[in-house]
């Protein structure tokens, strides 16, 4: 039996409609590299208009993130969990690794409870981001960001999230989205949009797990019992028309070794890469830490989970279109030229398959691991998909407001955060 859930909405103007940064002689904006996060300042030549889809991807509005986090903090003990004093175990879904870094930093600053209070658990966990403020030759202060290995393993942080008092808040992208139980979890917070109904149900399903009161109080002392969890919707995911995503597995009758052989011979067919993504993800969940480390070494430092995630992104038409727009210098939402889109798609597929194509040793080790082929049956359920929680109840009047609604059932009062200035990435 699973617990029920309520929905609490937090909205900001630019979350729903985007905004415009006006160009001017005094308007200086920061540009930040997505991977290294190194920044530079420059003057806008033209107005920069962006929509909600570009927020936290092409454009970073740190004050918008702060508004959402601050609203969550201020309403937590009065409306979301009234009467509580300990922050319930909270899982926040971010758009990408860079967005997750911004959220972690903001949560730490707003709650002022130390770094252990909030942690990031993604495929890049284990790399520490170090920010130093330095004065330049012109006397202006700039941020210098460097990275180094922290020695922290994602599995260790996840174990602490399950069994220890800290961390209270964890930010992830998709590493904890499926197949991971955190029974004391009482808040699931969406700061990213989701289009797939299957994926949404899996992400939401992280909060439905039942836990006995004694185990819950061991990590959250002021909790009496887990009779519900709260889905905090910051992006309108509850009103989104979700689609029924197709399963990754496209070649159920083709053996794992033959799929690897096809990639070795240069194949970038979507069906081949999609099937490999699904089987590598399943294999990664079944092997131990020692074998996982051995395979990562053969793959040039990339884990099976990372390879699988890259394959999934490479076959995603939305991801292909987004990169094609960036190559063509087009704004978010614009249709990229067909030629550019085709070229970018081929590059993404080739890059995603590269770790498997380039290493015969890795392919042999994967074959020796003998992952089980998926069962041949119609309408197979995705592994790790959350079971439906059953009918959803309406929240009590204490949290319901005139605008409160959710397409998926359950209601929560809608709170609108106040927007502050923003700038582009």
């Amino acid at each position: 039996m699973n617990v029920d859930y309520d929905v609490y909405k937090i909205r900001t103007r630019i979350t729903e409609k985007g905004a415009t940064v006006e160009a001017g002689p005094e308007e200086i904006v920061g540009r930040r590299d997505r991977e290294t996060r190194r920044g530079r300042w420059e003057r806008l030549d033209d107005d920069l208009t962006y929509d909600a889809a570009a927020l936290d991807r092409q454009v970073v509005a740190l004050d918008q993130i702060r508004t959402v986090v601050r609203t969550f903090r201020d309403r937590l003990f009065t409306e979301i969990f009234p009467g509580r004093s300990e922050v319930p175990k909270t899982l926040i879904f971010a758009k990408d690794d860079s967005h997750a870094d911004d959220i972690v930093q903001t949560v730490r600053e707003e709650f002022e409870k130390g770094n252990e209070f909030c942690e990031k658990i993604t495929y890049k966990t284990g790399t520490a981001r170090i920010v130093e403020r330095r004065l330049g030759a012109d006397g202006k202060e700039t941020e210098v960001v460097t990275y180094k290995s922290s020695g922290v393993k994602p599995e260790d942080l996840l174990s602490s999230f399950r069994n220890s008092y800290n961390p209270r808040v964890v930010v992830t992208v998709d590493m904890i989205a499926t197949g991971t139980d955190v029974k004391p979890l009482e808040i699931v917070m969406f700061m990213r949009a989701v289009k797939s109904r299957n994926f949404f149900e899996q992400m939401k399903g992280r909060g439905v797990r039942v836990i006995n009161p004694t185990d819950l109080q061991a990590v959250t002392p002021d909790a009496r019992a887990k009779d519900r969890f709260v889905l905090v919707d910051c992006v309108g995911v509850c009103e989104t028309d979700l689609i029924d995503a197709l399963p990754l597995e496209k070649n159920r009758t083709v053996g794992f070794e033959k799929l690897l052989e096809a990639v070795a011979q240069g194949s970038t067919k979507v069906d081949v890469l999609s099937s490999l993504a699904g089987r590598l993800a399943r294999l990664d969940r079944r092997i131990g830490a020692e074998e996982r480390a051995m395979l990562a070494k053969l793959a040039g430092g990339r884990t099976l989970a990372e390879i699988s995630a890259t394959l999934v992104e490479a076959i995603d038409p939305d991801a292909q279109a987004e990169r094609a727009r960036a190559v063509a210098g087009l704004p978010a939402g614009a249709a990229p030229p067909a030629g550019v889109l085709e070229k970018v798609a081929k590059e993404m597929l080739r890059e995603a398959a590269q770790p498997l194509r380039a290493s015969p040793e890795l392919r042999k080790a994967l074959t020796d691991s003998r992952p089980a082929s998926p069962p041949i049956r119609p309408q197979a359920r995705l592994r790790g998909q959350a079971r439906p929680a059953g009918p959803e109840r309406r929240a009590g009047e204490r949290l319901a407001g005139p605008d409160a609604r959710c397409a998926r059932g359950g209601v929560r009062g809608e709170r609108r955060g106040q927007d502050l200035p923003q700038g582009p990435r």
Side-chain angles (χ1 to χ4, degrees):
M1 181 178 179
N2 295 329
V3 299
D4 201 358
Y5 76 100
D6 296 327
V7 173
Y8 189 91
K9 296 190 235 179
I10 299 175
R11 294 287 188 273
T12 68
R13 176 178 55 82
I14 63 174
T15 301
E16 296 180 337
K17 299 180 180 179
T20 297
V21 181
E22 296 181 354
E26 303 300 325
E27 189 65 40
I28 304 297
V29 298
R31 299 280 184 180
R32 188 174 71 187
D33 184 271
R34 182 186 295 273
E35 295 298 326
T36 67
R37 296 177 65 88
R38 292 185 181 277
R40 70 181 189 277
W41 297 96
E42 62 181 44
R43 184 175 286 106
L44 282 178
D45 294 326
D46 301 299
D47 291 351
L48 175 66
T49 299
Y50 60 93
D51 60 12
L55 185 63
D56 299 310
R57 293 191 186 275
Q58 286 84 25
V59 178
V60 175
L62 293 177
D63 286 330
Q64 184 270 342
I65 296 174
R66 190 172 302 280
T67 296
V68 170
V69 172
R70 186 173 293 169
T71 302
F72 170 67
R73 180 202 65 190
D74 293 344
R75 308 290 183 181
L76 181 56
F77 300 130
T78 58
E79 297 182 0
I80 300 176
F81 277 95
R84 298 272 286 269
S85 59
E86 303 279 358
V87 176
K89 289 283 186 174
T90 300
L91 179 63
I92 301 177
F93 286 107
K95 295 179 180 179
D96 54 32
D97 208 83
S98 180
H99 187 215
D101 281 333
D102 291 332
I103 295 172
V104 168
Q105 184 67 24
T106 305
V107 169
R108 288 173 175 175
E109 291 172 357
E110 289 298 319
F111 281 86
E112 297 182 325
K113 294 182 180 292
N115 289 351
E116 291 185 350
F117 174 82
C118 180
E119 297 279 6
K120 180 183 76 171
I121 303 181
T122 70
Y123 295 118
K124 292 186 178 180
T125 297
T127 302
R129 173 175 174 258
I130 302 170
V131 181
E132 296 179 275
R133 296 184 181 274
R134 298 177 184 174
L135 287 177
D138 56 0
K140 294 182 179 180
E141 188 179 69
T142 60
E143 284 189 354
V144 177
V145 180
T146 57
Y147 291 84
K148 72 174 185 178
S149 176
S150 66
V152 178
K153 296 181 179 179
E155 310 88 75
D156 295 338
L157 284 177
L158 186 55
S159 177
S160 296
F161 190 41
R162 287 192 186 105
N163 305 312
S164 304
Y165 181 79
N166 279 321
R168 305 304 302 168
V169 179
V170 157
V171 183
T172 190
V173 178
D174 52 17
M175 185 173 176
I176 313 180
T178 62
T180 301
D181 281 341
V182 183
K183 292 183 178 180
L185 191 64
E186 295 184 87
I187 296 176
V188 177
M189 187 168 177
F190 283 82
M191 293 185 69
R192 59 165 290 182
V194 180
K195 296 182 180 179
S196 163
R197 180 175 287 107
N198 283 333
F199 198 37
F200 172 75
E201 292 297 332
Q202 291 173 12
M203 296 165 81
K204 183 182 72 175
R206 299 313 96 207
V208 304
R209 304 302 188 237
V210 176
I211 184 173
N212 68 63
T214 301
D215 290 342
L216 176 62
Q217 291 163 12
V219 295
T220 306
D222 68 341
R224 298 179 63 183
K226 182 178 178 180
D227 57 2
R228 67 177 178 117
F229 76 95
V230 176
L231 189 158
V232 179
D233 183 2
C234 307
V235 293
V237 68
C238 285
E239 286 109 17
T240 301
D241 292 327
L242 302 177
I243 61 174
D244 293 313
L246 297 174
L248 287 174
E249 184 60 65
K250 305 291 185 183
N251 291 299
R252 296 184 180 278
T253 59
V254 179
F256 187 48
E257 186 173 358
K258 288 190 175 182
L259 290 174
L260 290 173
E261 183 180 341
V263 169
Q265 293 175 357
S267 174
T268 56
K269 291 182 178 179
V270 170
D271 285 1
V272 171
L273 300 188
S274 180
S275 295
L276 275 174
R279 298 195 198 184
L280 290 175
R282 283 193 297 272
L283 177 60
D284 184 66
R285 289 194 291 268
R286 294 170 182 169
I287 60 179
E290 185 175 337
E291 188 173 4
R292 185 176 291 112
M294 181 269 292
L295 292 172
K297 184 176 181 180
L298 293 175
R302 304 186 66 184
T303 65
L304 295 188
E306 290 174 317
I307 296 174
S308 174
T310 303
L311 289 169
V312 170
E313 182 179 15
I315 64 178
D316 181 2
D318 290 336
Q320 294 172 357
E322 183 177 347
R323 184 182 291 191
R325 279 191 290 269
V327 170
L330 297 174
V340 175
L341 180 58
E342 182 180 1
K343 181 180 179 181
V344 165
K346 289 181 179 179
E347 289 176 353
M348 291 179 67
L349 294 171
R350 190 163 50 249
E351 291 170 3
Q354 176 62 19
L356 297 170
R357 183 171 56 248
S359 176
E361 295 82 4
L362 174 61
R363 296 196 300 271
K364 183 178 185 305
L366 289 171
T367 302
D368 292 343
S369 296
R370 295 189 298 277
S373 296
I376 303 174
R377 62 175 185 267
Q379 299 178 344
R381 293 173 62 89
L382 291 178
R383 183 174 179 85
Q385 181 174 344
R387 294 173 55 193
E392 296 164 1
R393 61 186 173 87
R394 296 180 66 84
E397 289 297 320
R398 56 187 173 82
L399 294 185
D403 296 327
R405 63 188 179 86
C406 178
R408 232 137 255 108
V411 293
R412 257 306 185 236
E414 182 167 342
R415 302 292 168 183
R416 296 185 177 269
Q418 187 176 20
D419 282 338
L420 298 173
Q422 62 278 335
R425 179 168 300 197

